[in-house]
Amino acid sequence: MDDKYTNAREHFFAAIRALSASADSIQARLIEANVNIVNVTIDEFNGDRELKIKFAKLLDLLAIDQDDLETVAVKNAAHMTDFEAVKVADLICDFYYEIT
């Protein structure tokens, strides 16, 4: 494995672990995963337009803005339906697969 996207891989792996290692609701697990995802910046994907767009889409689904990333992500995840939360969780897993 090369050094490209090392920070993103680390945080997405922790997010996936949070999504899978709990008996909590999918929304609670997504909130835990968001804590890790907000540590990744879109600038980490400069040079790879496709990954940058996919990461932006993921952030958009989490409705994260520039003011207070973690608070907004937590509030939005808490109000997602199970279907929406599972969709976002799947995108997180798919994105991790693409950067590994």
Side-chain angles (χ1 to χ4, degrees), residues 5-13 15 33-45 55 58-59 64 69 95 99:
Y5 313 126
T6 302
N7 181 58
R9 275 197 308 272
E10 177 184 326
H11 289 293
F12 269 84
F13 181 77
N34 288 341
V35 172
N36 293 291
I37 292 171
V38 298
N39 288 305
V40 178
T41 66
I42 199 161
D43 294 336
E44 292 182 49
F45 305 107
F55 185 65
L58 181 59
L59 293 178
I64 295 175
L69 299 173
F95 192 82
I99 61 176

Side-chain angles (χ1 to χ4, degrees), residues 1-51:
M1 193 179 298
D2 59 28
D3 291 334
K4 198 172 187 181
Y5 313 126
T6 302
N7 181 58
R9 275 197 308 272
E10 177 184 326
H11 289 293
F12 269 84
F13 181 77
I16 290 170
R17 189 173 55 232
L19 288 169
S20 64
S22 174
D24 293 337
S25 71
I26 186 67
Q27 291 84 355
R29 290 182 278 162
L30 191 55
I31 289 168
E32 183 73 26
N34 288 341
V35 172
N36 293 291
I37 292 171
V38 298
N39 288 305
V40 178
T41 66
I42 199 161
D43 294 336
E44 292 182 49
F45 305 107
N46 284 342
D48 190 327
R49 185 179 307 176
E50 188 175 326
L51 282 179

